[in-house]
Amino acid sequence: MRPEVLAGIERELRQQAGSEGITHFVVGVAVFRNGKLLVVRRVADDWHGGMYELPGGGVESGETFAECVERELFEETGLRLVRITDVLGGFDYATRTKSRVRKYSFVVEAEYGEIALDPSEHDQYQWVDADGLDNLPMAPDMRAAVYALVTTHPAR
């Protein structure tokens, strides 16, 4: 996706969220390999500990969504971003400190490499397809997002 197209999408998403009173954003990063999606497991003593999720995290002040995708992908997996290929609709949730956060998922191409987890955040990873989701502990909204990804973004 060209940077100017992505910037236009971000402007629209931020405007729409702002009209609903949402000012905090999180990105999820969807990386596919051999038709499977990368998910990571949160460390046991963290919020939603033991649950699988997409790599990702909070958008920092002054940071674009694309910058956040690149930063979070590297921090949480050790993988380098090649490009963002798709942006998926968001869902809202509450955190321990914020009453409403909107999360958008971004499908990316990443450089091939070994996964290197940040041990303070995640302790395990898996490559999953639709058949492998049932056995993984996930929050309901994350399960829905991951299921949508693995069923609408076929083998790559």
Side-chain angles (χ1 to χ4, degrees):
M1 185 175 297
R2 293 191 329 266
E4 62 274 11
V5 171
L6 192 56
I9 291 170
E10 179 173 344
R11 274 192 303 279
E12 289 177 25
L13 294 175
R14 284 183 182 268
Q15 260 184 339
Q16 178 186 2
S19 71
E20 298 172 38
I22 298 169
T23 58
H24 300 286
F25 301 97
V26 169
V27 301
V29 185
V31 179
F32 286 90
R33 273 197 197 149
N34 302 318
K36 294 191 174 188
L37 176 67
L38 176 65
V39 292
V40 292
R41 185 175 72 183
R42 295 186 74 83
V43 294
D45 62 351
D46 199 0
W47 174 258
H48 284 191
M51 305 287 252
Y52 280 85
E53 63 185 2
L54 294 174
V59 178
E60 296 177 354
S61 178
E63 187 175 48
T64 68
F65 291 172
E67 290 166 341
C68 185
V69 166
E70 183 173 18
R71 178 181 56 76
E72 288 289 348
L73 176 66
F74 183 72
E75 286 177 2
E76 295 196 355
T77 69
L79 298 176
R80 297 268 182 202
L81 178 71
V82 173
R83 68 187 183 107
I84 295 171
T85 60
D86 201 2
V87 182
L88 304 178
F91 63 86
D92 299 344
Y93 66 97
T95 70
R96 286 185 270 194
T97 59
K98 297 174 180 76
S99 62
R100 199 160 169 212
V101 174
R102 181 154 298 166
K103 182 172 191 166
Y104 295 108
S105 295
F106 293 79
V107 180
V108 305
E109 286 179 20
E111 290 180 358
Y112 190 82
E114 292 297 316
I115 305 298
L117 299 177
D118 175 348
S120 68
E121 291 191 51
H122 300 102
D123 62 5
Q124 192 172 6
Y125 70 91
Q126 289 193 37
W127 294 95
V128 299
D129 56 20
D131 295 334
L133 286 180
D134 292 339
N135 301 325
L136 293 180
M138 283 186 180
D141 48 9
M142 179 59 65
R143 185 176 305 282
V146 168
Y147 184 79
L149 281 163
V150 296
T151 56
T152 62
H153 289 80
R156 294 176 183 263

